Amino acid sequence: MKIIKPREELRKYVRYYWVLESDEPFSVLTFPIGCPQLIFHRGKPLFVPELGKSHDKFTISGQVNFPAHLQTDGNLEMIVAVFYPHTISLFIDTPPSTFYNLEISGYDIENSRLNEIATQIFDCKDSFDSILILEEWLMTKFRPSLNIERIGRSLGKLLLNPSTAITALAGTACLSKKQYERIFREYVGMNPKEYARIVKFQKAMRMMQCGERNHAGIAAASGYSDQSHFIREFKSMTGHTPKSLLSICQPYSDLFTTPV
């Protein structure tokens, strides 16, 4: 897998791009990462057994709160744009809550210009040139707004302390609690309480990624009420206990790791 950094003007809104090519079959278990994605399959699309279907050639992956397998029998070439939790709405008109816990066809949002960009990406011979095509379109779309800045500030606070109360997050955003919850859902695609579950899980994964194995310490540092709460939530997000997950894969926190 190759990771590509966005151009400077987009780095506040697009975390990174990645390109994966494989002729070999594989199945990989994935977890909620807290960031929506645009996915372009230039080869054969991935199959998701938990959803009982394959990706569309052009797929939008929303915020999810469950684990899923991604499977391919080979002939895979995919280009993925990973956004910050609250920024995909800058580029598409469809509210992110529309694809909460879903991976939908990008064609379903009926954005004719984005459909044209997808066609250009599929027709392009080089995956890196395909990203340039996508970036040119992204540059024409984003318009920073006050609410984006407000939600971004509150997310920064939540990442530092995943147990921060919603009233405190709303105060950071200079909004009432009711306003904050509405705007947060509008931009992130799920409510703040639900998103905080993903942040806690991702922070726990980051600690495990860095070698921490003390469950009580992980629970306390990640904002869980106690060790049993941590293990219960971890199993909900991965299908495994923290101990059993280590027997099948190495923990990796996408949300708390900057790959480029």
Side-chain angles (χ1 to χ4, degrees), residues 67-153:
H69 290 82
L70 299 178
Q71 298 177 348
T72 178
D73 57 9
N75 188 29
L76 179 73
E77 182 183 357
M78 56 192 297
I79 296 168
V80 181
V82 182
F83 296 85
Y84 287 95
H86 61 306
T87 57
I88 196 171
S89 59
L90 285 171
F91 304 100
I92 61 175
D93 298 326
T94 305
S97 56
T98 304
F99 37 90
Y100 169 58
N101 271 347
L102 295 172
E103 295 189 324
I104 67 169
S105 170
Y107 299 110
D108 288 348
I109 67 173
E110 299 182 348
N111 184 317
S112 59
R113 180 57 184 145
L114 185 51
N115 292 349
E116 292 172 6
I117 295 301
T119 298
Q120 291 178 36
I121 288 172
F122 298 140
D123 290 342
C124 187
K125 293 183 179 180
D126 183 86
S127 56
F128 293 97
D129 288 342
S130 295
I131 290 174
L132 293 178
I133 291 169
L134 178 60
E135 284 211 309
E136 289 299 324
W137 174 77
L138 291 171
M139 285 295 297
T140 68
K141 293 295 293 181
F142 83 91
R143 297 289 184 272
S145 69
L146 178 59
N147 281 338
I148 283 287
E149 295 298 325
R150 284 170 164 168
I151 298 302
R153 285 199 305 270

Side-chain angles (χ1 to χ4, degrees), residues 15-81:
R15 291 188 65 206
Y16 58 90
Y17 312 101
W18 56 271
V19 177
L20 178 62
E21 299 179 23
S22 177
D23 294 325
E24 299 296 325
F26 68 78
S27 176
V28 61
L29 179 61
T30 64
F31 315 118
I33 69 170
C35 296
Q37 303 168 81
L38 295 182
I39 303 170
F40 301 89
H41 287 285
R42 288 158 50 88
K44 188 174 181 180
L46 292 165
F47 179 70
V48 186
E50 286 80 3
L51 299 178
K53 64 178 183 179
S54 295
H55 281 180
D56 195 272
K57 279 182 66 67
F58 170 31
T59 290
I60 300 176
S61 180
Q63 299 283 7
V64 300
N65 61 9
F66 60 88
H69 290 82
L70 299 178
Q71 298 177 348
T72 178
D73 57 9
N75 188 29
L76 179 73
E77 182 183 357
M78 56 192 297
I79 296 168
V80 181

Side-chain angles (χ1 to χ4, degrees), residues 31-34 62-68 100-102 190 194-195 197-198 233 235-238:
F31 315 118
I33 69 170
Q63 299 283 7
V64 300
N65 61 9
F66 60 88
Y100 169 58
N101 271 347
L102 295 172
M190 58 170 55
E194 180 74 2
Y195 192 76
R197 291 182 62 219
I198 294 176
E233 284 286 282
K235 191 170 184 179
S236 172
M237 296 285 179
T238 67

Side-chain angles (χ1 to χ4, degrees), residues 32-35 63-65 85 154-164 169 184 188 190-207 218 221-224 230 233 237 253-256:
I33 69 170
C35 296
Q63 299 283 7
V64 300
N65 61 9
S154 72
L155 283 167
K157 186 165 188 160
L158 184 63
L159 291 173
L160 287 173
N161 181 3
S163 59
T164 302
L169 297 175
F184 189 99
V188 177
M190 58 170 55
N191 64 50
K193 184 177 180 180
E194 180 74 2
Y195 192 76
R197 291 182 62 219
I198 294 176
V199 175
K200 291 174 183 178
F201 162 69
Q202 282 285 324
K203 187 160 187 178
M205 285 286 276
R206 176 60 179 173
M207 293 183 69
I218 293 172
S222 301
Y224 293 102
F230 160 56
E233 284 286 282
M237 296 285 179
S253 169
D254 188 284
L255 190 61
F256 284 91

Side-chain angles (χ1 to χ4, degrees), residues 164-175:
T164 302
I166 294 174
T167 51
L169 297 175
T172 299
C174 299
L175 294 166

